Amino acid sequence: MLGPPGAGKGTQAERLHEDFGLLHIATGDILRAEVAADTPLGTEARRYMDAGELVPDEVIVGMITQRISGGDARDGFLLDGFPRNERQADALAEALEQLERRLTAALLIEMPDEALVRRLTGRRMCVKNPTHIYHVEFDPPKHADVCDQDGARLVQRDDDREETIRHRLQVYHAQTEPLIDHYDHAGLLRRFDGNRNANEVHAHIRATVATLRLEEEL
Ligand code: ADP
Ligand code: ADP
């Protein structure tokens, strides 16, 4: 899944996980778990995350390579938040080649920057399960600051502050956006308009993934 911060990658990946049983691998969630557990990796990553910068490639690539080699990834997986630059895309291609697997598609969710700021400042996340995502305006929980699914508290991410958001968007345009051409040239790119409601975006992506799956089986 490709797209700027706040485009809805996590929201859609969770739905596709339910539709197709694909393992959802979100680098941001893995990193935040390391931060919460106070591991050395978490301590290193946190500095970059709080500043809205990318965590060094070495850290991320090792993490992902291990994750996609696991038995639970055998029937397919969705990468959410990786790759985020050309070096990571090359490392992914290499890791997949070694596993004798290949990328089926790059699903791009497009959104203008101004809409993204509103998306991200209103985002709330469950403390117990980071895949439970809400929005104060667009997808509010039934009770303020409480997760509908498990009753845990909802929090705002440290990096979802306007100043950090603006910097993350700059990082996206400078480092991640070139991957759009990269995957377009490889014939893998599929584009979706993220500026629609989550159900509409989901319907479009689900139809595309269903078609891709059928083609794989033929
Ligand atoms: P969002 O989807 O809102 O951009 P993520 O949860 O994907 O946020 O990422 C949060 C932060 O984690 C990023 O700003 C960055 O610091 C770090 N991060 C996540 N994925 C990567 C990656 N592939 N490479 C480098 N840093 C990453
Ligand atoms: P990403 O993983 O790309 O950073 P998220 O899935 O975390 O994005 O979504 C960012 C915020 O926008 C969340 O608060 C989420 O509830 C909300 N959101 C996601 N998709 C939509 C949509 N289509 N319309 C309105 N709000 C959305």
Side-chain angles (χ1 to χ4, degrees), residues 61-78:
V61 167
M63 212 169 77
I64 289 291
T65 308
Q66 192 189 15
R67 203 69 195 79
I68 64 176
S69 312
D72 55 351
R74 212 179 36 218
D75 294 334
F77 49 84
L78 278 162

Side-chain angles (χ1 to χ4, degrees), residues 15-195:
R15 292 182 179 212
L16 296 173
H17 162 72
E18 282 163 26
D19 296 332
F20 300 102
L22 295 165
L23 179 69
H24 175 192
I25 304 174
T27 38
D29 288 347
I30 301 174
L31 291 170
R32 278 183 292 276
E34 296 280 345
V35 171
D38 237 347
T39 65
L41 192 156
T43 310
E44 192 195 349
R46 184 176 195 155
R47 286 189 292 139
Y48 297 94
M49 296 169 81
D50 284 350
E53 294 286 344
L54 295 187
V55 172
D57 294 334
E58 306 78 72
V59 176
I60 301 287
V61 167
M63 212 169 77
I64 289 291
T65 308
Q66 192 189 15
R67 203 69 195 79
I68 64 176
S69 312
D72 55 351
R74 212 179 36 218
D75 294 334
F77 49 84
L78 278 162
L79 293 170
D80 165 10
F82 177 91
R84 255 178 157 95
N85 60 29
E86 297 270 4
R87 269 187 67 195
Q88 293 183 10
D90 292 343
L92 173 64
E94 215 171 282
L96 288 172
E97 200 180 313
Q98 284 192 358
L99 290 166
E100 295 183 9
R101 307 192 66 166
R102 61 185 182 79
L103 216 55
T104 312
L107 309 170
L108 168 68
I109 307 183
E110 299 179 289
M111 282 275 288
D113 281 9
E114 277 324 303
L116 291 169
V117 175
R118 210 161 137 206
R119 284 269 183 98
L120 292 169
T121 49
R123 172 160 64 185
R124 297 293 181 272
M125 195 183 75
C126 173
V127 286
K128 214 162 128 189
N129 184 335
T131 65
H132 300 160
I133 304 164
Y134 299 84
H135 192 281
V136 290
E137 211 179 322
F138 308 131
D139 184 19
K142 290 197 186 73
H143 304 283
D145 300 324
V146 178
C147 179
D148 291 348
Q149 298 182 67
D150 57 24
R153 200 161 45 89
L154 298 182
V155 291
Q156 185 165 24
R157 270 171 46 176
D158 289 340
D159 58 347
D160 278 346
R161 273 183 268 109
E162 181 151 352
E163 205 184 278
T164 318
I165 291 169
R166 299 237 176 243
H167 187 65
R168 285 160 59 205
L169 291 173
Q170 283 174 6
V171 169
Y172 173 78
H173 292 304
Q175 302 193 44
T176 311
E177 216 163 45
L179 294 183
I180 297 175
D181 275 349
H182 176 111
Y183 289 118
D184 200 11
H185 288 143
L188 294 173
L189 194 73
R190 301 288 188 280
R191 294 174 186 267
F192 303 93
D193 178 5
N195 218 356

